[in-house]
Amino acid sequence: MLQMVKKDRLLFAALMYTISIILDALRTKLLSKVAKTKIKYPKCVENTLLGLYTSAITPFSMGGQPFQIYHLFKMGMSLESASMVVGIKFITSFTTTLGLVFFFLLLYGKKLISTTASSLIIYGGMVLTVSMYMFFLLLILNKDLTHRIFTSKFMVKILSIILRKRKEQVLQKAVQSVSKYFELINQLWKQSKKTVFLNIVITLGEIFLVHTVPYVVATSLSSLRISYPQFFGAIITMTVVVYFVPTPGSSGGVEAAFYMMFRNMCSPAVVSATILLWRFLTFHLVILIGTILLSKTIYEIKSRVQSKETNQT
């Protein structure tokens, strides 16, 4: 089956995924301007790739956003501004994706949920994902909850160990950071509504590209018995269902869910080959590129630290 792949379509799928990364970096660049911090566009692309990489290698795909915050911080952005940029991007993407999932479930629900097993997997995954989404939504947008979490004795103790600072210093910094973070959130909404709207539009484009990649990969192998809208609805639903699978990058869960979702819509051979090519483009290749970028980033950070130490002496 892999020998029959249409290489031009496969290259087109790779191009679409590349453009989605470029769009995600553009969102970082736009939001960084609101934070009044100049981050060069290539560094925004690097930030996106490193986020994808750390999501791919951490359980629950939970490492991406924290590492992106750390990376922006090391690029000269304040911790509060970096948290605002990454937090707004995350919530915009997740909210838009969930809205599309509910739309396609209403449109193609009977076709997507054709068996008892598929209904249990989809509804169970949706409950877990929506629950986690609500928690992160409150964490990013609710000042009282965020303040309670980051000023709690447990969190202050953990941060004091990580940062090697006294608890009093950590608590004071946490209070200041939470206040500054929510000032930036309010500033974004009150003074930069055009940026918010543009961020949503770019997010829609990015989601369209990312979830069209497997369709293009599948059509590079064979003609499909289902329409593009139905395929798109199935793939975006599957993505949400397995988002918080407790494996690095949701690996295993993504492949299994894809096979179960499409085995009755395409031939098993096409489904298996699509999984191999699609995951290579959007997962394994990202890990390879991310490993190179991470090594480069660590070297640059160490060089800056050594240069500061030399100048001080």
Side-chain angles (χ1 to χ4, degrees):
M1 178 59 71
L2 291 176
Q3 295 175 347
M4 298 170 60
V5 66
K6 297 175 183 175
K7 294 179 181 179
D8 57 336
R9 284 180 178 257
L10 192 61
L11 287 173
F12 183 61
L15 177 62
M16 292 183 74
Y17 192 64
T18 302
I19 294 173
S20 75
I21 291 171
I22 291 171
L23 289 179
D24 189 80
L26 180 59
R27 294 168 64 203
T28 302
K29 182 68 176 177
L30 287 170
L31 290 169
S32 68
K33 288 182 178 179
V34 177
K36 297 180 180 178
T37 306
K38 291 183 178 180
I39 302 291
K40 293 182 179 179
Y41 186 72
K43 288 297 180 182
C44 294
V45 175
E46 187 177 294
N47 185 261
T48 292
L49 287 168
L50 287 171
L52 291 170
Y53 168 73
T54 45
S55 290
I57 64 171
T58 52
F60 295 97
S61 303
M62 296 289 282
Q65 286 77 29
F67 192 84
Q68 284 182 310
I69 292 171
Y70 170 78
H71 181 256
L72 289 174
F73 175 69
K74 287 299 180 180
M75 292 303 105
M77 189 177 287
S78 71
L79 187 61
E80 300 84 7
S81 296
S83 299
M84 182 274 288
V85 170
V86 175
I88 291 299
K89 283 179 62 182
F90 175 78
I91 285 301
T92 305
S93 297
F94 224 126
T95 302
T96 306
T97 301
L98 279 177
L100 288 170
V101 167
F102 286 122
F103 171 78
F104 280 105
L105 281 176
L106 287 172
L107 199 63
Y108 297 112
K110 291 182 180 179
K111 293 181 179 179
L112 298 179
I113 309 172
S114 56
T115 65
T116 303
S118 62
S119 66
L120 288 173
I121 292 171
I122 289 175
Y123 288 129
M126 285 293 291
V127 169
L128 174 61
T129 299
V130 171
S131 298
M132 294 295 290
Y133 163 75
M134 292 303 297
F135 170 74
F136 286 118
L137 183 65
L138 289 172
L139 182 64
I140 291 170
L141 300 179
N142 187 291
K143 186 174 182 178
D144 291 336
L145 176 64
T146 306
H147 185 274
R148 288 176 187 174
I149 291 175
F150 283 94
T151 59
S152 65
K153 291 182 179 179
F154 174 77
M155 185 61 74
V156 168
K157 185 176 181 180
I158 294 297
L159 290 173
S160 65
I161 294 171
I162 295 173
L163 300 174
R164 298 179 182 179
K165 293 183 178 180
R166 290 182 300 168
K167 292 181 182 179
E168 294 79 9
Q169 290 177 303
V170 172
L171 179 60
Q172 184 180 10
K173 179 61 178 175
V175 172
Q176 292 174 349
S177 295
V178 170
S179 297
K180 180 62 177 176
Y181 167 79
F182 280 97
E183 283 179 18
L184 289 167
I185 292 288
N186 291 330
Q187 179 183 328
L188 173 66
W189 178 244
K190 291 178 180 179
Q191 300 179 15
S192 308
K193 287 186 174 65
K194 288 183 179 178
T195 301
V196 173
F197 177 74
L198 189 55
N199 175 50
I200 294 171
V201 172
I202 296 172
T203 300
L204 280 168
E206 182 184 343
I207 290 171
F208 161 75
L209 290 169
V210 168
H211 294 91
T212 301
V213 168
Y215 176 80
V216 176
V217 171
T219 57
S220 74
L221 294 160
S222 173
S223 57
L224 302 180
R225 299 193 298 266
I226 59 173
S227 65
Y228 168 72
Q230 187 178 339
F231 189 104
F232 186 91
I235 197 71
I236 198 169
T237 300
M238 182 215 73
T239 301
V240 167
V241 167
V242 302
Y243 193 90
F244 289 106
V245 170
T247 58
S250 302
S251 57
V254 169
E255 292 82 357
F258 187 94
Y259 187 84
M260 290 187 66
M261 184 75 74
F262 290 96
R263 63 182 178 178
N264 296 323
M265 303 179 190
C266 313
S267 70
V270 170
V271 174
S272 299
T274 298
I275 291 171
L276 287 173
L277 293 172
W278 166 51
R279 289 295 276 173
F280 172 75
L281 289 175
T282 62
F283 183 74
H284 301 289
L285 198 57
V286 165
I287 291 177
L288 176 62
I289 295 171
T291 301
I292 297 170
L293 275 178
L294 183 62
S295 301
K296 173 179 171 289
T297 301
I298 292 172
Y299 175 77
E300 288 177 349
I301 291 172
K302 284 185 177 180
S303 297
R304 282 198 294 270
V305 171
Q306 290 174 357
S307 178
K308 285 183 180 179
E309 289 175 351
T310 302
N311 292 332
Q312 288 175 355
T313 55

